[in-house]
């Protein structure tokens, strides 16, 4: 486990010059969003000096609806240790009434009346709220949405009801084989690591929504939901200037607060202020469980954090090399041997770690003990091959990836859904500099 991870990173260390940003350089000193050649939309970025809110306005004359989203740079990694799932629970409760609009159903009712919809999700280091609405409902919709981040009520009588919704979401995940495997593999990390935490929340983990849970919710919101930790994205057929005017009108009251900077878990690990999530005692583990679904083998390789290295795209390199289906590839060898039906890859990047999952759907022969050993042996043999690649070979792969990525970016089309567009952009705003949110 540890040696394989080190070998992969060693391979990535070759030929740094070949590892340039896959889609070209930065846009320059000014905040100008780089966009595809065929993109007719107009983008304008602003930072609101009063509260530190980062804002991106997108003018799309063809948009059938308007959209708006906020990404908050806090998620499940920020749960208090005694309240697993609190960040997710907070996401749910923000929809259920604010001081200005106290009726818990008022936001949903307004969106429905204006041909709109809304949703949200909580990740490890961000929470994203996203909406679409008719152009006529944009201004008031923004007013109602802004109140989530200004003065939510967290009404005690709503807590129990919404706690049942969170608990049901957890119960829905239990039969999902992929979700179970993901949870179990993360649990092999150190118990005191944010990587191994339980993120969804249950009735028990959230203390049955008692008064202490509500008080902790308020503290969490105050500590993390403040202007410098938030990014707002809008899409409308209005000019970007008009969108920014509306944003100022409704979001200037978002408090600057005293959040402080987000936690860089990788930096804390590097400076010995926090132990790494995986030490030698937490690697090389093998877990076997029964299933009524397709036999599967998941192999997780914990790597040092790579999120900051997005310009060099190490995860893209790994996904390409491990996922390639041509002659001599890992996939073709295992399929030819009759051991797998499918190979998939997943990369989870956070500041704490990059987790590379190699996921196999096994044949009956592959699910036998000898078959599992052969799949693992072939996998590690392939990883050794990657480690032995020369500088020239690595540079050649990166050149191909760069060309493909450039073409894909320049001729990409905007998502057909305004909801998808604002959600993706808001998440990107919390991960990348403004000029690179589309790239």
């Amino acid at each position: 486990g540890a040696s394989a991870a080190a070998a992969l990173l060693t391979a990535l260390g070759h030929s740094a010059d070949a590892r340039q940003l896959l889609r070209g350089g930065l846009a320059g000193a000014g905040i100008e969003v780089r966009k595809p050649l065929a993109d007719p939309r107009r983008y304008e970025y602003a930072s609101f000096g009063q509260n530190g809110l980062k804002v991106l306005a997108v003018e799309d004359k063809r948009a059938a609806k308007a959209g708006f989203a906020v990404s908050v740079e806090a998620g499940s990694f920020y749960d208090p240790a005694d309240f697993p799932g609190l960040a997710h629970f907070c996401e749910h409760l923000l929809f259920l009434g604010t001081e200005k609009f106290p009726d818990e159903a008022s936001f949903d009712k307004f969106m429905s009346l204006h041909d709109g919809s809304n949703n949200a999700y909580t990740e490890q280091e961000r929470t994203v709220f996203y909406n679409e609405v008719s152009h006529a409902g944009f201004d008031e919709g923004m007013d109602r949405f802004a109140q989530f981040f200004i003065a939510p009520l967290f009404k005690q009588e709503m807590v129990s009801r919404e706690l049942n919704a969170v608990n049901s979401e957890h119960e829905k995940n239990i039969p999902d084989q992929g979700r179970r495997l993901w949870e179990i593999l993360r649990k092999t990390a150190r118990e005191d690591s944010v990587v191994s935490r339980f993120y969804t929340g249950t009735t028990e983990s959230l203390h049955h929504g008692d008064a202490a849970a509500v008080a902790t919710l308020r503290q969490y919101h105050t500590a993390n939901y403040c202007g410098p930790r938030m990014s707002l994205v809008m899409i409308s057929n209005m000019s970007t200037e008009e969108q920014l005017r509306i944003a100022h009108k409704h979001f200037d009251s978002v408090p600057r607060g005293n959040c402080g900077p987000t936690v860089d878990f990788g930096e804390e690990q590097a400076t010995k202020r926090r132990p790494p999530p995986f030490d030698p005692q937490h690697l090389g583990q093998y877990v076997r469980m029964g299933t009524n679904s397709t036999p599967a083998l998941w192999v997780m390789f914990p790597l040092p954090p790579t999120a900051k290295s997005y310009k060099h795209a190490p995860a893209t390199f790994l996904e390409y090399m491990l996922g390639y289906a041509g002659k001599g590839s890992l996939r073709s060898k295992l399929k030819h041997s009759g051991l797998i039906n499918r190979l998939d890859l997943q990369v989870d990047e956070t500041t704490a770690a990059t987790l590379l999952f190699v996921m196999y759907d096994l044949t009956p022969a592959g699910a036998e003990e000898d078959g599992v050993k052969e799949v693992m042996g072939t996998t590690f043999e392939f990883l050794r091959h990657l480690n032995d690649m020369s500088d020239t070979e690595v540079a050649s792969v990166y050149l191909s990836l760069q060309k493909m990525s450039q073409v894909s970016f320049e001729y990409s089309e905007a998502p057909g859904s305004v909801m998808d567009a604002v959600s993706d952009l808001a998440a990107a705003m919390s991960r990348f500099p403004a000029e690179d949110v589309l790239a």
Side-chain angles (χ1 to χ4, degrees):
S3 60
L8 285 172
L9 289 180
T10 300
L12 292 176
H14 292 301
S15 188
D17 290 342
R19 251 143 267 206
Q20 304 277 331
L21 170 61
L22 291 184
R23 298 184 182 105
L26 295 173
I31 304 298
E32 179 180 343
V33 178
R34 293 189 302 115
K35 65 178 188 176
L37 292 172
D39 189 348
R41 299 179 298 179
R42 180 170 176 256
Y43 300 82
E44 186 170 349
Y45 171 83
S47 178
F48 289 1
Q50 178 175 332
N51 57 14
L53 181 72
K54 299 178 286 291
V55 184
L56 181 66
V58 183
E59 179 184 334
D60 185 352
K61 294 300 185 185
R62 302 179 300 180
K65 295 182 183 180
F68 42 86
V70 162
S71 176
V72 181
E73 293 171 25
S76 300
F77 279 2
Y78 292 76
D79 284 345
D82 294 339
F83 288 87
L86 190 76
H88 181 216
F89 193 33
C90 182
E91 169 222 305
H92 275 246
L93 285 169
L94 289 189
F95 288 91
L96 301 179
T98 62
E99 288 183 9
K100 186 173 183 179
F101 303 101
D103 180 4
E104 63 268 16
S106 66
F107 187 73
D108 285 343
K109 286 179 180 176
F110 174 84
M111 298 299 281
S112 295
L113 285 171
H114 292 82
D115 195 23
S117 55
N118 60 80
N119 210 335
Y121 64 86
T122 303
E123 291 186 338
Q124 292 98 321
E125 295 179 283
R126 66 189 54 84
T127 305
V128 179
F129 303 82
Y130 53 106
N131 315 265
E132 67 177 13
V133 70
S134 67
H135 291 297
F138 178 70
D139 193 337
E140 186 176 344
M142 284 277 285
D143 183 16
R144 291 172 176 272
F145 185 49
Q147 298 304 311
F148 287 20
F149 314 105
I150 297 169
L153 288 178
F154 294 126
K155 290 186 285 189
Q156 181 71 57
E157 61 267 28
M158 298 306 304
V159 167
S160 296
R161 190 190 79 179
E162 203 58 29
L163 188 56
N164 290 331
V166 169
N167 197 71
S168 296
E169 193 170 329
H170 166 64
E171 291 178 346
K172 173 181 65 68
N173 290 334
I174 293 174
D176 185 322
Q177 176 169 283
R179 181 63 181 243
R180 292 203 312 274
L181 288 167
W182 182 71
E183 297 277 6
I184 288 169
L185 285 171
R186 286 192 304 100
K187 269 295 184 184
T188 63
R190 289 175 58 107
E191 189 175 350
D192 58 356
S193 167
V194 291
V195 172
S196 66
R197 287 183 177 178
F198 172 58
Y199 302 146
T200 309
T202 64
T203 302
E204 290 74 23
S205 76
L206 294 166
H207 299 218
H208 298 270
D210 61 12
V214 176
T216 307
L217 267 169
R218 294 182 184 278
Q219 293 168 6
Y220 174 84
H221 188 274
T222 300
N224 295 288
Y225 279 63
C226 53
R229 290 265 195 98
M230 293 167 54
S231 299
L232 167 67
V233 173
M234 302 167 288
I235 295 178
S236 171
N237 59 7
M238 296 178 183
S239 69
T240 56
E241 292 79 10
E242 179 64 11
Q243 291 181 51
L244 289 172
R245 185 192 66 79
I246 292 172
H248 271 295
K249 181 170 67 170
H250 300 307
F251 279 81
D252 274 355
S253 295
V254 171
R256 174 174 282 274
N258 297 300
C259 292
T262 55
V263 179
D264 186 330
F265 294 94
E267 179 64 25
E268 291 193 353
Q269 291 158 194
T271 54
K272 310 299 183 185
R273 288 175 288 161
R274 182 186 296 267
F278 294 91
D279 54 27
Q281 289 72 39
H282 291 81
L283 293 170
Q285 300 184 59
Y286 177 58
V287 180
R288 190 169 191 126
M289 68 181 197
T291 181
N292 294 320
S293 187
T294 302
L297 172 66
W298 282 36
V299 188
M300 181 181 73
F301 295 98
L303 304 173
T306 59
K308 289 182 179 179
S309 302
Y310 74 95
K311 293 182 182 180
H312 305 289
T316 301
F317 176 84
L318 290 172
E319 288 182 283
Y320 177 77
M321 296 303 295
L322 290 166
Y324 179 64
K327 184 178 179 181
S329 67
L330 176 61
R331 187 195 306 261
S332 65
K333 287 181 180 179
L334 291 171
K335 279 198 167 186
H336 182 73
S337 300
L339 298 171
I340 70 166
N341 290 316
R342 183 185 177 99
L343 186 161
D344 290 302
L345 296 155
Q346 177 178 317
V347 177
D348 291 353
E349 286 187 303
T350 67
T351 64
T354 290
L355 303 181
L356 169 66
F357 297 89
V358 184
M359 305 172 290
Y360 300 108
D361 282 356
L362 301 172
T363 64
E368 298 292 333
E369 185 173 348
D370 288 344
V372 170
K373 289 180 179 178
E374 188 173 347
V375 171
M376 292 299 297
T378 303
T379 300
F380 279 95
E381 179 185 353
F382 189 81
L383 294 178
R384 284 190 289 273
H385 163 70
L386 291 187
N387 188 51
D388 292 338
M389 290 175 68
S390 68
D391 289 2
T392 302
E393 289 173 316
V394 172
S396 176
V397 172
Y398 262 93
L399 182 60
S400 296
L401 288 173
Q402 184 184 39
K403 290 178 178 178
M404 289 188 293
S405 185
Q406 184 72 39
V407 171
S408 177
F409 173 70
E410 295 294 3
Y411 296 97
S412 61
E413 295 183 358
S417 161
V418 171
M419 284 269 282
D420 290 345
V422 292
S423 172
D424 292 348
L425 284 170
M429 286 274 285
S430 67
R431 295 184 63 200
F432 309 117
E435 54 264 33
D436 288 337
V437 293
L438 290 175

